[in-house]
Amino acid sequence: MELEVRHLRALCAIADTGSLHKAARLLGVSQPSLTTQLRRIEHALGAELFARERTGCRPTPLGHAVLSRARPLVAQMTVLVTETRAAAARADGARLRVGSTASRALAGWLRRLRDRLPGTDISLHMDVSAGALLRALAAGQLDVAFVHEVEGCPLRVPDGLERRVLVEREPQFVSMARDHPAAAAPVVALTDLAGDRWMVDPTVDGEWDGLRRVLGAAGIDPPVLHGDYHTAASLIVAGEVVAPCQPTSGPRDDMAIRPLRGDPLAVRLLLYSGPGASADAGCAESAYADLAAAYREVALRTSAYRQWLLRHGSPLAQAA
């Protein structure tokens, strides 16, 4: 087997994260696949590059030597790809590559961007991981990225990115079955849900750590299931779990969405851009203005969140 850049990138990811599991998530592959790939690389080189320990993976002396040669090659290939794509974009005409975590403001944002930038090729890349989107932005694969940062769990932001704050603190509501006893109240306390199972998506950066911290601070330790929010929705309706949700989540006949007393769960909404990501110097600022308008639209359209904004004197409510 001949070594390729992807093999070197895998070695760097394992060394940087110290774990095959974390490296697999970073690379977007399964852990068994990465483990097999590492074995093949080590077989091709004839030596062990990482010591597998109970707490993770540690480079061997030979592994350190290989990594010292691999890192510059990976960096040079990244620069080559980034610069080539940028040149192709300039040759092919105007385009805007948008990255985002899930948000109900997306549809209105994209509509406004298309109205503002007629003739521009606008693409959308979705990811549950804000960190993955920021790395793509830093690598020149995106022009702007709309992400959320869980309170108490700061994102690892690559150097050189420019940040604009859309919402400093967006409260997270809770979704539950329509006939849940706590749904009878307009605001729910965490202690009202102490006997429930919670569901959280562990692939969302900071989501599990943030929820665990807040539940612990409330003095409760409910069972927590891990799964994506499409699965969570069906379990919530069946009364099997409750789950955090965005306050802009629309009303449903089979589900109750309520604010949490004291707003213990919150995120910060951010728009990041890369330096020189677009030929139009005002592109990021325009994208931010369109995003702010789209977010305000969905926020005021959602009754429970609109009432929350009014109670807290939010500037967003001034348009109500």
Side-chain angles (χ1 to χ4, degrees), residues 17 53 101 110 117 126 128 131 141 162 171 185 215 224 234 245-246 255 257 260 262 265 268 272 310:
T17 61
E53 301 174 344
T101 50
L110 291 176
L117 303 170
M126 299 292 298
V128 296
Q141 299 165 4
E162 184 177 353
L215 292 175
V224 177
S234 60
C245 67
Q246 297 175 10
M255 186 184 295
I257 296 172
L260 286 167
L265 283 170
R268 184 162 57 160
Y272 280 93
L310 288 168

Side-chain angles (χ1 to χ4, degrees), residues 164-178:
R164 292 170 174 82
V165 179
L166 178 70
V167 177
E168 184 62 41
R169 192 174 193 271
E170 180 195 68
Q172 298 300 279
F173 289 1
V174 63
S175 52
M176 65 194 78
R178 175 61 67 180

